[in-house]
């Protein structure tokens, strides 16, 4: 037997593994882009029905090619208050089923000669590159990305198995796998450690399949390593829950508990089977398809066994990880873990921006009341809330910057860009509320008063402007073009009324029917109110322009 060049073997295996990871990641991003808005619609399915949660978890994981990423996303949902622990359990169980898809893709090569990685890789890569470079429609380019990812995955698998092939002739390497098969705890530990390091059970199973292609892995070691991989995949979610809320920690712990209990149950069954029922299978080499079958069977049976005990898992998590969820005045819908699936992250970003808009609207209303009532308490509320709005603007913008660097479709890029503009408009509305509160302070300090006519005029224009802003928020919240079109006439009405009131007020000043100092504040007031309606118009145009752009693209 020729001497093995260990450096070349190691580099080829690591290079293949890198390609495998890249292909899996690239394919997952292409799938997300192709799914588009369908992904965010899955969030509405996540009701208290745990069975639907299992289906959603499996579907999302099949798309993003990582149960770890799905579970991290679920931790983010729980931390953002968008999902209860009971809802999370079903999705976590489904994620374990969805992660088996990658193993089945890898298994294709064993079925026919045409489906071997060495044959499929160049076909998919050429087809993928062609679509990405020359296709005009974004959907076609996304399909190209999926095909290119497939090609990279198959090429990486072929490189890994090719690099490991010479090891099949080494007795020491074969004995190592025999030891892992005869010692369940060592086999499980190996699978858990490798998966924890690379933070992907799909990739870890891919390595195992590459070694199986090289004729190195017996049945017993494969089963114990697969059980360990399901425990190791929990590490990513556990790490992501550090610094999160109590319920987020519980969600990560439920994932760990689910996989640990399942692994222990099947480890006992495997030991009984290899010792008493089918001892001849212990050292027989396993093939790639059989690894997929074992991986899928374990996750399906584990879900079927523990699904009725989902409430018990929640109970254990709540009693082991004690503490109360603290309500935060800051962001409620955003969590960086969710960015792993941009369509969900955008949906939540919209909710948070709308929430910021509602706070700004409330602040305008409070400021107007403070002006007429000269209420110091309300004035202070406006100033305090304005600081919160400014903090929200900074946090949301930082989140949107990170989101804009994720894998987005053209429509999603358009939405994120619109959210940047909308956050700026809302923050400016908050500034105008602050300005009105400052005017209230000046009125009180200088003991100035508006005439009854002036007060009525201010109330009229303020009411229309506030209605204009709230209508714009509603239009954006529901992405409703017909509601957005209602904003523009209201904004024009405010503009005309502002000109009319300014002219009337100048006449009162000339006729000395108004205090000049109060008159200046009156003009400042209607100017601030008019600017609020302008920002409302900007928000409405985001909906109208986005619809127009998308319609022209179609």
């Amino acid at each position: 037997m020729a001497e093995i060049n260990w450096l070349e073997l190691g580099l080829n295996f690591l290079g293949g593994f890198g390609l495998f990871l890249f292909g899996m990641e690239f394919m997952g991003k292409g799938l997300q882009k192709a799914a588009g808005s369908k992904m965010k619609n899955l969030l509405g399915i996540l009701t208290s029905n745990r069975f639907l949660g299992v289906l959603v978890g499996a579907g999302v994981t099949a798309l993003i090619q990582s149960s770890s990423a799905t579970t991290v996303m679920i931790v983010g949902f729980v931390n953002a208050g968008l999902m209860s622990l009971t809802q999370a359990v079903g999705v976590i169980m489904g994620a374990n089923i969805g992660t088996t898809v990658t193993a089945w893709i890898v298994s294709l090569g064993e079925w026919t000669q045409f489906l071997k990685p060495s044959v499929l890789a160049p076909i998919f890569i050429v087809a993928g590159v062609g679509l990405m470079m020359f296709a005009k429609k974004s959907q076609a380019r996304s399909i190209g990305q999926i095909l290119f990812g497939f090609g990279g995955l198959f090429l990486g698998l072929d490189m890994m198995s090719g690099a490991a092939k010479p090891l099949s002739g080494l007795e020491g390497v074969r004995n190592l796998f025999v030891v892992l098969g005869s010692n369940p705890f060592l086999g499980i530990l190996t699978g858990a450690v490798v998966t924890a390091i690379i933070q992907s059970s799909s990739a870890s199973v891919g390595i195992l399949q590459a070694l199986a292609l090289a004729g190195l892995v017996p049945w017993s070691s494969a089963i114990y390593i697969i059980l360990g991989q399901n425990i190791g995949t929990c590490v990513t979610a556990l790490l992501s829950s550090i610094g999160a809320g109590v319920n987020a920690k519980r969600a990560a712990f439920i994932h760990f508990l689910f996989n640990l209990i399942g692994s222990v149950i099947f480890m006992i069954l495997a030991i009984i089977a290899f010792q008493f029922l089918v001892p001849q299978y212990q050292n027989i080499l396993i093939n790639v398809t059989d690894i997929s079958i074992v991986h899928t069977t374990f996750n399906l049976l584990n879900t079927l066994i523990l699904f009725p005990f989902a409430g018990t898992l929640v109970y254990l998590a709540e009693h082991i990880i004690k503490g109360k969820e603290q309500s935060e005045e800051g962001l409620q819908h955003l969590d960086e873990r969710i960015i792993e699936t941009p369509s969900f992250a955008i949906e939540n970003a919209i909710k948070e921006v709308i929430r910021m808009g509602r706070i700004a609207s409330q602040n305008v209303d409070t400021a107007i009341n403070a002006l007429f009532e000269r209420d110091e308490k309300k004035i202070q509320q406006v100033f305090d809330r304005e600081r919160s709005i400014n903090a929200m603007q900074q946090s949301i913008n930082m989140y949107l910057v990170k989101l804009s660097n994720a894998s987005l479709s053209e429509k999603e890029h358009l939405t994120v860009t619109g959210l940047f503009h909308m956050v700026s408009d809302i923050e400016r509305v908050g500034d105008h509320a602050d300005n009105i509160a400052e005017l209230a302070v000046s009125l009180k300090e200088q003991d100035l008063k508006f005439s009854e006519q002036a007060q009525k005029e201010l109330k009229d224009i303020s009411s229309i402007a506030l209605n204009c802003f709230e209508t714009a928020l509603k239009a954006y919240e529901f992405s409703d073009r017909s509601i957005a079109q209602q904003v523009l006439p209201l904004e024009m009405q405010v503009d005309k009324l502002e000109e009319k009131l300014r002219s009337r007020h100048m006449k009162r000043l000339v006729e000395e029917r108004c205090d000049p100092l109060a008159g200046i504040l009156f003009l400042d007031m209607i100017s601030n109110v008019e600017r609020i309606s302008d920002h409302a118009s900007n928000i409405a145009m985001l909906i109208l322009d986005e619809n127009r752009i998308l319609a022209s693209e179609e």
Side-chain angles (χ1 to χ4, degrees):
M1 181 179 174
E3 187 178 345
I4 295 175
N5 185 330
W6 289 100
L7 178 62
E8 184 180 347
L9 186 151
L11 289 175
N12 283 340
F13 191 87
L14 289 174
F17 178 59
L19 263 176
F20 183 88
L21 277 180
F22 171 78
M24 193 168 66
E25 176 82 4
F26 205 69
M27 178 176 63
K29 288 182 177 178
L31 284 163
Q32 286 185 60
K33 285 183 181 178
S37 60
K38 295 182 183 68
M39 282 282 284
K40 72 177 184 182
N41 293 339
L42 289 175
L43 186 60
I45 300 173
L46 298 177
T47 64
S48 55
N49 187 323
R50 287 198 300 272
F51 177 72
L52 289 177
V54 171
L55 296 180
V56 170
V60 171
T61 306
L63 284 172
I64 65 178
Q65 295 288 297
S66 173
S67 62
S68 297
T70 302
T71 310
V72 167
M73 186 176 69
I74 296 309
V75 170
F77 280 145
V78 173
N79 195 49
L82 299 175
M83 186 185 296
S84 69
L85 280 175
T86 305
Q87 292 169 329
V89 175
V91 187
I92 289 168
M93 290 178 175
N96 279 23
I97 297 171
T99 196
T100 63
V101 170
T102 310
W104 283 107
I105 292 170
V106 171
S107 301
L108 293 174
E110 279 192 340
W111 300 353
T112 68
Q113 185 71 25
F114 177 74
L115 295 177
K116 284 189 175 296
S118 56
V119 177
L120 287 179
I123 296 173
F124 281 140
I125 288 172
V126 169
V129 169
L131 284 172
M132 285 191 294
M133 290 185 66
F134 303 113
K136 293 182 178 180
K137 292 186 176 181
S138 60
Q139 191 76 357
R141 290 197 295 273
S142 296
I143 293 171
Q145 186 172 341
I146 295 167
L147 293 175
F148 185 83
F150 265 122
L153 186 151
F154 285 129
L155 185 60
L157 178 69
D158 194 47
M159 285 180 65
M160 282 194 292
S161 60
K165 200 77 175 174
L167 298 178
S168 60
L170 297 179
E171 189 175 349
V173 175
R174 291 200 305 272
N175 289 339
L176 174 63
F177 280 98
V178 170
V179 170
L180 293 177
S182 61
N183 189 325
F185 295 103
L186 191 57
I188 288 173
L189 181 64
T190 301
V193 170
V194 171
T195 308
I197 291 171
I198 63 178
Q199 297 199 7
S200 171
S201 61
S202 296
S204 181
V205 172
I207 293 175
L208 186 66
Q209 288 178 303
L211 295 172
L213 277 172
L216 289 168
V217 187
W219 267 85
S220 55
S221 61
I223 287 176
Y224 295 135
I225 289 171
I226 287 170
L227 296 179
Q229 287 167 338
N230 278 273
I231 296 173
T233 194
C234 303
V235 170
T236 310
L238 289 169
L239 290 174
S240 81
S241 70
I242 295 172
V246 174
N247 276 337
K249 289 184 174 69
R250 288 168 179 164
F253 184 72
I254 287 170
H255 183 220
F256 171 72
L257 208 57
F258 172 70
N259 282 1
L260 179 65
I261 293 170
S263 296
V264 170
I265 292 171
F266 282 89
M267 180 189 73
I268 294 169
L269 292 175
I271 291 171
I272 294 170
F274 288 131
Q275 291 297 318
F276 305 108
L277 301 178
V278 284
Q280 68 273 19
Y281 269 84
Q282 186 158 347
N283 294 320
I284 293 177
L285 293 177
I286 194 170
N287 62 40
V288 174
T289 302
D290 286 336
I291 287 176
S292 300
I293 292 171
V294 170
H295 191 214
T296 304
T297 302
F298 164 72
N299 285 298
L300 280 172
L301 290 179
N302 194 25
T303 299
L304 287 172
I305 291 168
L306 294 179
F307 185 79
F309 302 99
T312 306
L313 292 175
V314 173
Y315 176 83
L316 288 172
E318 288 176 343
H319 281 76
I320 292 172
I321 300 176
K322 297 187 180 294
K324 292 183 178 180
E325 199 68 23
Q326 295 180 343
S327 61
E328 297 180 278
E329 293 183 0
L331 303 182
Q332 290 184 4
H333 298 104
L334 303 186
D335 192 297
E336 289 186 18
R337 301 166 186 84
I338 307 173
I339 293 178
E340 187 71 32
T341 309
S343 49
F344 282 124
I346 289 172
E347 186 77 1
N348 295 335
I350 290 171
K351 288 180 180 178
E352 193 63 41
V353 172
I354 293 296
R355 176 173 167 265
M356 179 185 174
R358 302 275 185 237
I359 294 171
S361 177
Q362 183 185 2
N363 220 27
V364 171
D365 188 50
T366 304
I368 292 169
N369 289 330
L371 183 83
F372 293 124
E373 298 169 13
R374 304 183 180 217
D375 188 324
E376 289 185 9
K377 186 178 179 182
K378 287 184 177 179
I379 291 170
Q380 191 57 49
Q381 283 178 355
V382 173
F383 293 150
D384 292 342
R385 203 176 283 131
E386 168 61 10
R387 284 192 290 270
S388 296
I389 292 170
N390 289 338
M392 286 183 75
Q393 181 201 24
Q394 289 184 343
S395 298
I396 293 173
N397 278 342
M398 287 173 62
Y399 188 86
L400 291 175
V401 167
K402 292 176 182 176
L403 185 53
S404 64
N405 292 322
S407 180
L408 304 177
S409 65
E410 289 182 15
K411 181 181 179 181
E412 288 169 340
H413 268 297
L414 193 64
T415 302
V416 172
T417 301
L419 285 172
F420 273 115
H421 292 300
M422 186 169 173
V423 168
S424 177
D425 278 303
I426 291 171
E427 191 276 333
R428 290 296 298 136
V429 169
D431 287 344
H432 290 301
D434 190 75
N435 292 344
I436 294 169
E438 291 282 2
L439 295 177
V441 171
S442 297
L443 275 174
K444 186 173 178 62
E445 287 179 350
Q446 299 177 54
D447 195 25
L448 300 173
K449 291 182 180 179
F450 293 128
S451 66
E452 287 187 13
Q453 180 63 26
Q455 287 188 51
K456 183 181 181 304
E457 291 172 347
L458 288 176
K459 287 178 180 178
D460 288 343
I461 192 172
S462 299
S463 176
I464 299 168
L466 200 54
N467 181 32
C468 183
F469 181 63
E470 288 173 349
T471 303
L473 291 178
K474 185 179 178 182
Y476 199 93
E477 182 177 10
F478 297 104
S479 190
D480 193 315
R481 183 180 175 84
S482 62
I483 297 176
Q485 287 174 332
Q486 297 172 23
V487 174
L488 305 184
L490 288 171
E491 191 267 337
M492 289 179 63
Q493 188 178 347
V494 172
D495 285 349
K496 290 179 180 178
L497 189 54
E498 192 257 356
E499 289 179 12
K500 186 177 180 181
L501 297 185
R502 188 178 292 276
S503 176
R504 277 185 192 172
H505 192 68
M506 295 304 295
K507 186 177 179 181
R508 284 197 295 266
L509 285 173
V510 170
E511 295 174 354
E512 296 183 350
R513 291 189 288 118
C514 180
D515 187 319
L517 292 176
I520 294 171
L521 298 181
F522 178 92
L523 295 175
D524 284 344
M525 175 66 181
I526 60 173
S527 177
N528 276 284
V529 169
E530 189 273 332
R531 291 297 297 146
I532 289 170
S533 68
D534 287 344
H535 292 297
S537 175
N538 293 342
I539 293 169
M541 289 306 298
L542 290 175
I543 294 294
L544 298 174
D545 287 343
E546 183 174 308
N547 276 274
R548 194 178 298 117
I549 291 169
L550 292 173
S552 65
E553 285 181 351
E554 290 172 2

